[in-house]
Amino acid sequence: MENDLENTETKTEEAPKPKKRKKLTIPWKLLALYILPAAVVFVIFIVMHNSLVQPPLSREEIMALMNDNDEEETSEGNSDKEIESAKKTNEEIQQGSEIPFIGPQHYYHSFTGALATDLKNDSGILTIELAVSIFMGKLNAEAFFESFKSFEPALRSVILALMRTKTKAQLDTNQGKEALRLEILKTINDELVKLGAKPEIKTVQLTKILLI
């Protein structure tokens, strides 16, 4: 029995001690190394955004600004005629241009090839090259000249008919050439009306004239 007691005591003494639990350590320095730069960048972004980016105007603010502008424009006018003139000019600019507040311009188009014919009473031969201009916005000008090309054969015919009514003596002077230019301008616009188009041609330039 004594042996049993000794064995029991020996076993009790030899029992392993419980392991100590490891403490969970948080690497604060490492976390700060990653988190602090991101936080600083975020704070800088917020500050810069608030100082540089302005919030969009509300509908009420836009309407208030428009009303203020209308009142200023009205007060600046000295008479009803000036106000009406400004409104009319604004409408013409917007109708004549594809971009508001940008006025129309002169755009030119040259006829394809020269026009040559005998003069009246076989007094000579007249050869001319001409260009026409319109006064409107760019997009409208491009559309007008695109359709204008289809009218060129008819316009060439009436211009040649006009040229045949002239004599060499009439065209020898600068005044005669200027008169011919103005008559061609009127003839072109009249023919455009007959063809169902608008008489938008503003000027005619005789880019080349040969009289023999």
Side-chain angles (χ1 to χ4, degrees), residues 14-33:
E14 292 179 355
K17 296 180 180 180
K19 293 182 179 181
K20 293 181 179 181
R21 292 183 179 179
K22 292 183 178 181
K23 292 182 179 180
L24 180 62
T25 57
I26 300 175
W28 294 108
K29 292 183 179 180
L30 187 61
L31 288 175
L33 184 63

Side-chain angles (χ1 to χ4, degrees), residues 88-97 99-104:
K88 184 177 179 182
T89 303
N90 189 33
E91 289 176 0
E92 289 176 352
I93 287 175
Q94 292 186 1
Q95 291 176 3
S97 174
I99 304 174
F101 313 115
I102 296 180

Side-chain angles (χ1 to χ4, degrees), residues 37-82:
V40 171
V41 171
F42 180 74
V43 171
I44 293 174
F45 172 78
I46 294 298
V47 172
M48 295 296 291
H49 183 273
N50 291 335
S51 60
L52 297 179
V53 179
Q54 297 181 352
L57 297 176
S58 64
R59 185 174 180 180
E60 291 75 12
E61 291 173 336
I62 293 173
M63 294 298 294
L65 286 174
M66 292 176 66
N67 291 332
D68 291 341
N69 290 336
D70 291 340
E71 291 176 0
E72 289 177 1
E73 289 177 359
T74 304
S75 62
E76 288 175 359
N78 295 326
S79 66
D80 294 338
K81 291 182 179 180
E82 291 179 357

